[in-house]
Amino acid sequence: MAELKTRILVVDDDQRLRDLLVKYLSGEGYEVKAVPDARAMDKQLARERYDLVVLDLMLPGEDGLAICRRLRGQQTAPAIIMLTAKGDDVDRIVGLEMGADDYLPKPFNPRELLARINAVLRRQASAQAASSTEGPGTLAFEGSRIHLRLRELRNSED
C-alpha cells in the first residue's frame, strides 16, 4: 500500500518563489502545489485536501489575513504558515491572532521554513491524536461508553 504524502499548498503571487518552494519542498518528500491567489486556492482546496497552507500576506484581491480568517472558520481547516514581507511585530501578532499556526518573514532561509512546517505538522498530529473520540478521554463500562471530551454517554452499540 502506498504511503500518503503530506500535502502542502503554497499561495503566493510571486511566480519565482512559488516555483522555488514547489521544487524545494517536493525534494523534501512533500506533495506540493502552488497557486497565485485566493480564487485559485479556493478551487484547489475544493478539489483536494491539504494538510498545510503556506500563505503570503500581501496577495492581489483577498489578502492573506482575510484568507486565514476564512479558512479558520471551516471545520477541517489545514494548518497555516504565513510567509510575508511584512515582518513587523504588529504584523506577526495580527497574523497569529487571525489563526495562523506560524509566521515567517521574507526573506527567509528555506531550511527554516521546512523546520517550521515540520513543527506545525507535528503539533497538528499531536492535537488530532489527543482530540480523538476513541482513545484517551473515552471510558467503556457495562455496555456504555463515555466520551469525556464530548461530554457524551453512549450505548456501546451506537
Side-chain angles (χ1 to χ4, degrees):
M1 180 177 215
E3 180 182 329
L4 290 177
K5 284 188 175 183
T6 299
R7 302 172 62 123
I8 297 175
L9 180 62
V10 175
V11 184
D12 198 300
D13 59 337
D14 182 338
Q15 177 70 48
R16 187 169 158 259
L17 181 61
R18 285 196 315 266
D19 292 345
L20 287 169
L21 288 176
V22 167
K23 184 176 180 179
Y24 180 72
L25 295 172
S26 295
E28 294 296 325
Y30 292 106
E31 186 175 325
V32 186
K33 296 235 171 109
V35 295
D37 57 29
R39 180 172 287 159
M41 179 200 73
D42 289 339
K43 288 179 184 176
Q44 198 60 40
L45 289 174
R47 273 185 241 145
E48 301 178 51
R49 179 199 56 79
Y50 287 87
D51 302 293
L52 184 133
V53 174
V54 176
L55 179 63
D56 186 15
L57 184 63
M58 297 185 297
L59 292 168
E62 188 177 14
D63 69 29
L65 289 176
I67 293 170
C68 183
R69 186 178 24 236
R70 184 164 55 85
L71 288 176
R72 281 295 169 244
Q74 298 174 0
Q75 190 139 17
T76 57
I80 299 170
I81 295 180
M82 295 218 122
L83 185 65
T84 182
K86 289 187 161 190
D88 295 338
D89 288 349
V90 172
D91 295 318
R92 285 195 304 269
I93 292 166
V94 170
L96 293 168
E97 286 177 344
M98 287 296 123
D101 295 287
D102 205 344
Y103 194 108
L104 185 62
K106 295 177 186 176
F108 61 93
N109 182 322
R111 288 183 62 193
E112 181 179 1
L113 175 60
L114 180 63
R116 289 174 182 264
I117 287 171
N118 290 331
V120 165
L121 291 172
R122 273 193 311 272
R123 286 194 303 267
Q124 184 183 47
S126 180
Q128 286 173 347
S131 69
S132 172
T133 59
E134 295 298 323
T138 302
L139 304 172
F141 64 96
E142 295 185 22
S144 297
R145 185 173 303 274
I146 296 176
H147 297 275
L148 298 175
R149 186 181 62 81
L150 299 175
R151 296 181 182 191
E152 291 181 348
L153 172 64
R154 293 184 182 172
N155 202 342
S156 287
E157 288 82 44
D158 289 347

